[in-house]
Structures are given as C-alpha cells and as structure tokens.
Amino acid sequence: MKRKMMAFLLAQLLVFSFSITCFGASTLPPKKQTVLAKYVTAKQAYEKYSQDPANVKILDARTIGEYVFVGHAPMAVNIPLKFLDRGLTDKNKPVMPTNENFVSEVMKRFKKTDQILVMCRSGARSAACVNLLAKAGFNDVYTITDGFEGDKDDQGQRTVNGWKNSGAPWTFKLDPALVY
C-alpha cells in the first residue's frame, strides 16, 4: 500500500512539475521563446552553473560594449549576436547589424554536446541565439529568460530580475580569454 501511494505521489509530482514548466514557457513573450523550449531564469542559471561549473557553460551574447561597460558574469564567454553600429533606425532604435560569424564563433569555443546557458540583456537576443544554435545542431542550449539586466520595473528601469539583480556574481573585470 505504501509503495503504491509513493508511486502515485511521485507521478503527481512529475505531472505538476511538467505543468509548471509548460505553463512557464507559455507565459513568456513570443520573442523570448525558442524552438528547444529550454528556459532558466538568471537565478536558476547561476544555481545550475554552481552545481557543475566544469560542464555548464555561460554564453553572453550582448555587444562588446554591454559586456565591458554594464558588467558581466565572471565566467561568461562573450560572443555577440549583434554589434552596435553608429546611428539610429527610423524607429529611434540603435542600429545593430547581426554578427554573421556568431554560430561559427560559438563552434570554436563549444561542442555541440555542451550544456550552454545563453544570456543577453533581457532575454530576446538569447532566444534568437538558441534558435540559431539549434539549427546548427546544438541541442542542450537554454535561454536565460531575464538576461543580465532583467526586465523593466514601473519606472522603466531594469531592476526586476536578471543576473545582475539575482544575487549572482558579476564584474567589470575583463578576462582576455572570455572577451570577444
């Protein structure tokens, strides 16, 4: 009887966990969703990394300027998805051409079998990175849904979540082996 009850409770827990995972993904804005549907928050990403630093890789896909001047996770390899160019678009957004070598640069640093957690500022570029890497044959790639700086609060400041606000370590110190 106890064995059946334990099996039943375990099954219920698994169904509940699966439901939470699916629900969590469906609440993400479409621009933060990926074809692999593997998501972690910044806090979860740091916990995952801390449990297995030799096998969990952190990829920071922000521009070099963001990585250098806003700060970064001390273990994060910087390979920008986009570069910051001069000027603004007609919608007053920065001109940011795509790094055409993004996937090939990732392939130089990581194996297709590596577990890679990708971060950007707030989760949209990292989702695009995951999709590009999935298309190239990587299959254990997660997007850090709240990125390095996190989502905006009511005043428009990025203080809600993100690596920088989660208690995870970050630095301005540059390691030449990690900077693009």
Side-chain angles (χ1 to χ4, degrees), residues 57-151:
K57 315 297 183 193
I58 308 288
L59 170 60
D60 189 323
R62 294 176 302 149
T63 66
I64 298 164
E66 288 171 297
Y67 185 87
V68 170
F69 296 115
V70 179
H72 54 273
M75 73 296 284
V77 174
N78 175 233
I79 303 174
L81 174 65
K82 296 182 175 274
F83 298 111
L84 182 60
D85 213 348
R86 185 176 207 162
L88 298 173
T89 68
D90 56 352
K91 294 181 180 179
N92 284 334
K93 300 281 185 179
V95 175
M96 295 183 73
T98 300
N99 177 357
E100 299 298 329
N101 299 317
F102 175 76
V103 172
S104 62
E105 291 294 326
V106 171
M107 291 175 132
K108 288 178 187 176
R109 298 293 300 259
F110 304 107
K111 298 179 287 204
K112 289 185 178 183
T113 56
D114 284 343
Q115 183 171 89
I116 306 170
L117 313 180
V118 186
M119 104 170 67
C120 62
R121 181 192 62 199
S122 56
R125 277 178 284 173
S126 60
C129 292
V130 169
N131 291 337
L132 287 171
L133 294 173
K135 188 175 180 181
F138 288 81
N139 54 24
D140 200 12
V141 186
Y142 292 72
T143 183
I144 299 175
T145 58
D146 48 347
F148 184 75
E149 292 184 63
D151 295 314

